[in-house]
Amino acid sequence: MIFTTDMLLEKYKDYANPLVKIKREADAGELFRIIRGYYEDNVDVEPFVLAAVILSPSYISFETALAYYGLIPERACVIASASYKVRKNKRHENMFGHYEYSDIPPRAFPKEVDLVELDEYYGFRIASKEKALCDSLYKWPVVRSVKQLKILLFEDKRIDEEEFDCLNFETILELCPLYKKNNLNLLAKMIRKRRKL
């Protein structure tokens, strides 16, 4: 379970020095620091759960979400999240993993984000497949043509083309204009051509 320092101070209020008790539990491996002011007592917690504790608001996206859905073959070694008005990329590392945060445009941020509930205590927010692709294209290097976009998607990033064709193209076409970036304009153009085949 995730605890704030205030929750732990309340839990140990009957101790002579609650802060010393918290430190002893951390030293004994009974509490694990997530970030200043937040602790976890389960060493096996799903690392995705902690991403929004480290920086909020945020949700799992980019290559991390693409790998989660099986759109790319590689397992993401960094837990990458989309953030809101942070203005520059943020990084954080703890015993649970490497976390990275990158802004996406405010208009796009709240769209197509799902809640995955693991149990009564744990859950995490993650971009839909379509949103993760759009977020990624916002972050990836700019391409200048549909041909270059196909190379980026299917060769460089190794997105599974069959899985790509199973995406909800209507959702992608609704998302693309929210980013105001050439990569997303080209994605919309490519999808419109693809639907006519």
Side-chain angles (χ1 to χ4, degrees), residues 3-196:
F3 295 92
T4 65
T5 301
D6 287 344
M7 289 166 68
L8 291 170
L9 290 173
E10 177 63 25
K11 181 179 178 181
Y12 299 130
K13 66 183 178 182
D14 294 333
Y15 283 77
N17 193 330
L19 287 173
V20 170
K21 172 64 174 170
I22 293 168
K23 185 178 184 313
R24 281 186 188 145
E25 291 214 341
D27 291 344
E30 294 169 14
L31 280 176
F32 309 97
R33 190 171 184 265
I34 302 167
I35 197 169
R36 184 180 176 142
Y38 289 88
Y39 296 85
E40 172 60 54
D41 65 354
N42 177 6
V43 70
D44 297 317
V45 68
E46 165 56 60
F48 284 12
V49 169
L50 308 178
V53 174
I54 295 165
L55 182 67
S56 184
S58 67
Y59 59 85
I60 305 295
S61 191
F62 309 115
E63 285 94 336
T64 306
L66 295 177
Y68 176 83
Y69 293 122
L71 280 163
I72 58 174
E74 292 81 11
R75 184 173 179 271
C77 57
V78 169
I79 299 163
S81 295
S83 53
Y84 177 74
K85 289 190 175 180
V86 175
R87 293 189 174 81
K88 64 178 185 176
N89 294 346
K90 298 272 186 188
R91 291 182 174 80
H92 180 76
E93 186 175 342
N94 58 32
M95 65 167 292
F96 299 102
H98 304 275
Y99 295 83
E100 290 185 0
Y101 301 84
S102 301
D103 276 0
I104 64 162
R107 290 198 309 162
F109 185 82
K111 309 291 185 184
E112 289 292 315
V113 179
D114 301 321
L115 176 63
V116 176
E117 293 184 355
L118 303 177
D119 59 33
E120 62 180 310
Y121 299 110
Y122 295 111
F124 59 90
R125 293 171 58 78
I126 188 168
S128 67
K129 294 179 183 182
E130 294 79 10
K131 179 72 175 297
L133 177 65
C134 292
D135 285 353
S136 297
L137 278 168
Y138 178 76
K139 186 175 159 186
W140 290 340
V142 176
V143 293
R144 300 294 174 196
S145 67
V146 169
K147 182 179 179 181
Q148 288 180 356
L149 178 64
K150 286 180 180 176
I151 291 169
L152 175 65
L153 292 175
F154 305 124
E155 294 179 28
D156 296 349
K157 300 299 181 180
R158 301 203 301 156
I159 288 177
D160 185 298
E161 204 158 348
E162 286 184 12
E163 289 291 330
F164 177 86
D165 284 329
C166 291
L167 295 175
N168 185 326
F169 287 167
E170 289 301 324
T171 298
I172 293 174
L173 290 174
E174 288 172 14
L175 289 170
C176 284
L178 303 177
Y179 294 85
K180 295 187 176 178
K181 190 159 184 180
N182 198 51
N183 283 2
L184 281 301
N185 296 338
L186 290 170
L187 178 62
K189 185 177 179 181
M190 184 180 93
I191 283 172
R192 289 188 183 101
K193 283 184 179 177
R194 217 169 176 94
R195 288 199 308 183
K196 291 176 183 176

